[in-house]
Amino acid sequence: MVSIAGCSMTTEREALVTPEEVIKSPADDRDYRYVTLENGLKVLLISDPDTDKSAAAVDVNVGSYQDPDDRLGLAHFLEHMLFMGTEKYPDVDSYSEFIRANGGSSNAYTADVRTNYYFDINSDQLQPALDRLAQFFIAPKLDPNYVEREKNAVDSEYRLHAREDGWRLFMALNATSNPDHPKSRFNIGSLDTLNDKDGKLWQSLKDFHDQYYVAPNMGVVVYGRENLDTLEKWVKTSFAGVPSGAKPDLTIGKQPYTRDELQARINIVPLKDTRVLSLSFPMPSAQPFYHIKPLGYLARIIGYEGKGSLHSLLKDRGLIDSLAAYSSDLPNEYSEFTVRMELTPEGLTQVDEITATVFDYLELIRRKGLQPWLYQESKQIADLGFRYQEDRNPQQTASGLAARMHYLPAEHLLEANYLYEAYDPELIIGYLNRMTVENLRQVVIAQNLPTNRVEPYFETKYSVQGLSDELVKRLKTPVAREFLTIPEPNPFIASNLKLQESSKATEPSVIMEKPGLRVWGLTDTSFNMPRGNVRAMISTPAASATPDDNVLIQLYKSLLSRSLNEYGYPAKEAGLNYSITAGRRGLLISLAGYQDKQAVLLEDILKAVETFKPEKSAFEQEKAVLIRGLKNKKFHAPYRLGMDALNQATYPSYPEDEVLLKAAEKVTYHDLLNYARNFYSQIHVEMLVYGNHSKSEVLKLAAMVESVLLNDHNRRDRFDLPFHLLGEMDRVLNMDVEHDDSMLISYYQLPETNNLERARYALLGRLLANPFFNSLRTEQQLGYVVFAGPRPFEKHPGVIFVVQSPKLDPIGIEARVDQFLSDQVNALGQLTDQELEQYRQGLIGDLLKKDDNMDERNARFWQGIASDELDFDNRLKIADEIRKLKPADMESALKRLMENRGKLVIRSFGGPHKKAYKSEAKRTECNSINCLNDLPLSR
């Protein structure tokens, strides 16, 4: 291990090499070992003695691209089926139950050529969890009795996405690929594509597993607190039984697009009011050059948002709302480089002109953009990022690294994203020269476009046609534009990396308090990072007193952020992040990253506040974005809309979307200017400065904020949101949601706020979560979205049950939920203290989890300050209460829940279920959130 206390960055890239050649950051004190088992299984072991969460992930080099043509969705279906029990652990959902009981979580996903399975768990239970996961790949049951049931779950997942534009547009775009390439096919699976008419579906599952789920085709990452020898022993014991087999040939060997799909204009019609122009160029895979990053170099220039950028020019002309440049890669097959722009209404009328402007900029890069200093600057930023790389949580670490193991050598698994080993202008220009009109896919996404085809699975309208001769000629003759330039040297790259002496305190304390201002601070360099976090909350009733205020603060935030973008973008690029966010309490200014130049950036943010006067055209553009977002909310999944309604019901300052939309449509430029002037008339500022800042620096930052925002006349007490308590009520809120699925949310809230009741219902929610999922989803197959768990609210305990179903109306769903709760009374009556101990320890493990990095610790402290729970050690007290809980406490807690006092049901009837509606006879029924305004109000 290399100590970094008091050191500064050198020009040479520093890195540590473990004996097994896994290069790691000097800031990384974990141990690594890369081994290959006798069966060919690639394994990365990570030993972290300080972790209280362990994790593992298995990535199988197979995905939807390997689906048989007559079994589309088979890879995804198999992923589902592996959770249905194994020969060694046969109970359905026993894997998930064990993980959840011991404070963990588990999931999986199927991608194009990979399927990734992962979990995390309290550290003392890694070995048994690892053994359970290993059996997925050794002896899964693939129980024929669950083939039909889980096929329904896959179909429900497909139908859940039916009105989600992300999926609809993705599938329509894929439909414009080479018909002979697997990219062009449906990949989720449905009852139709997974039909069993030939009686061979189970055999197809088994054959697919046998062919692809072999050790040489898999990568495993195990992250635990044990030493490497112990972890290696566990892996060898559990995974030795994975079949060795031959690694299957995964070569596709076909181009993703033919001439018919290139030099083409592609129109796609979304459900939402969305306007996007995407210019993409297929090219040879850049994976072999991961250590040089030719496409990363180009993406940085094209996606730059500072002065003289393509983004600034198009946005200042009112043509785009955003611009991003990025590449994707199917390793060893092809890469695709994309410039994606969200368009204004005016931009939609000038798609070809915007495309020409992009091509003009590409020509500028050819002439002036290949600069060694610019590549070295990218390298410098990346070197800093790797040198001071912060830990991610164990689950993210394991899953992310497992996904790389098929394509990267062991030595570069950790640092591949940070490598800029050699400036190679010929390689860069070779990729840049693929960005031609002959190789262009001009994709336009908007409503009311002319189309002549329909994608069959999501019924999305689209068309493909050749580019016009006029556009082709224009793109082949680029012109110089005086306002476009190559990025200038970045002034925000950190140079002072000296670490302050860490405070002996373990939590922040009040450094300064006066009328209208309270400042918290903690010098913490225990992570050995020259980073800091600054948060300043400007709270005021003017943030949400009326629907107009709710709208105006969002516009004010957007325009303030916009005014800073050209100046602040280089800061973000250099690892000094900032944001201005708006909420119902006020404005939050946040800075995070290298501490070195945070004072300079904060000063400029405050200057932007002082000099705020946006152009009217900018106001109109941001207003249009806000209105479009409000209108598009209706396309969210029903359960997401229901969860949003729950927030609206409990916070009176959170108006319904229709009310906000009306306010947004009538707001004027002068309203915004008046609001910005008056916003600071009565405010309170609360700050937290955490990390590599000395006490004197904390006071300096506080003085900067105070001098700009506060005066002798505008100081007030901190503003906290009022909120509704459910009290003794039992009510139903009906929502009108346009969707085929029905939705039900049953939310229970308790009146107490003491630690005992918070502990009791947090544990009860944990106990009910997996049986609820198992009963209503796995066994009853009501739908893909089924979950339950604790939902505390403003220190009040709560429990929530959520179901979205294509099969059953909400009245029927509620009856199933009630029956489940009745059944659980009996189950809890038979619960032993030994069985409960798993859940107790799992919840305690989550409560007392160590912070993985500075951002996590800062967020935990800020959550306490923002919620006014200033006993930062209160989680220890709740943990003490959890230790005392017995099975009888769980049974009595559930019985109290079932008295239906403090209960709110939110529901919507899906299109096919409208006729099932019946008016309520025994409880109050609401069709608007306004009917909950009589609920008790608290702060």
Side-chain angles (χ1 to χ4, degrees), residues 642-752:
M643 296 297 287
D644 203 33
L646 180 56
N647 285 327
Q648 292 169 336
T650 45
Y651 288 108
S653 57
Y654 188 174
E656 292 181 272
D657 296 333
E658 294 82 359
V659 175
L660 287 175
L661 181 58
K662 289 179 181 177
E665 288 175 334
K666 69 180 180 63
V667 72
T668 68
Y669 176 59
H670 293 293
D671 292 336
L672 185 278
L673 295 180
N674 289 333
Y675 182 82
R677 276 194 298 269
N678 297 328
F679 180 80
Y680 300 93
S681 61
Q682 288 291 303
I683 62 171
H684 178 274
V685 179
E686 186 139 38
M687 293 182 65
L688 170 63
V689 182
Y690 164 78
N692 193 37
H693 289 280
S694 66
K695 184 176 179 180
S696 62
E697 288 173 337
V698 175
L699 294 172
K700 177 185 175 182
L701 294 171
M704 288 168 53
V705 170
E706 183 179 19
S707 66
V708 173
L709 299 182
L710 293 166
N711 56 52
D712 293 339
H713 309 290
N714 71 341
R715 300 170 189 258
R716 60 154 286 149
D717 292 338
R718 163 177 152 150
F719 171 65
D720 287 311
L721 286 173
F723 54 87
H724 284 309
L725 295 176
L726 301 190
E728 297 286 309
M729 79 159 212
D730 178 11
R731 295 189 189 177
V732 178
L733 174 63
N734 293 318
M735 295 183 67
D736 185 13
V737 176
E738 186 181 343
H739 202 283
D740 285 348
D741 289 4
S742 288
M743 172 271 295
L744 178 100
I745 296 173
S746 285
Y747 168 60
Y748 298 82
Q749 186 189 94
L750 284 300
E752 297 88 355

Side-chain angles (χ1 to χ4, degrees), residues 97 101 760 763-764 766-768 771 823-840 885-892 894:
E97 177 74 26
R760 196 156 73 117
L763 188 56
L764 178 66
R766 282 289 190 99
L767 272 170
L768 297 177
D823 294 342
Q824 286 302 301
V825 173
N826 297 328
L828 293 181
Q830 300 171 31
L831 184 70
T832 67
D833 192 66
Q834 184 178 0
E835 291 169 332
L836 184 61
E837 177 64 10
Q838 270 193 327
Y839 288 89
R840 279 194 297 253
L885 292 170
K886 301 297 182 184
D889 298 313
M890 297 296 94
E891 186 178 3
S892 63
L894 179 55

Side-chain angles (χ1 to χ4, degrees), residues 624-648:
V625 171
L626 179 63
I627 289 172
R628 189 166 76 246
L630 288 168
K631 286 182 176 179
N632 285 339
K633 273 190 71 177
K634 67 182 179 181
F635 295 106
H636 291 184
Y639 81 97
R640 294 189 186 279
L641 293 173
M643 296 297 287
D644 203 33
L646 180 56
N647 285 327
Q648 292 169 336

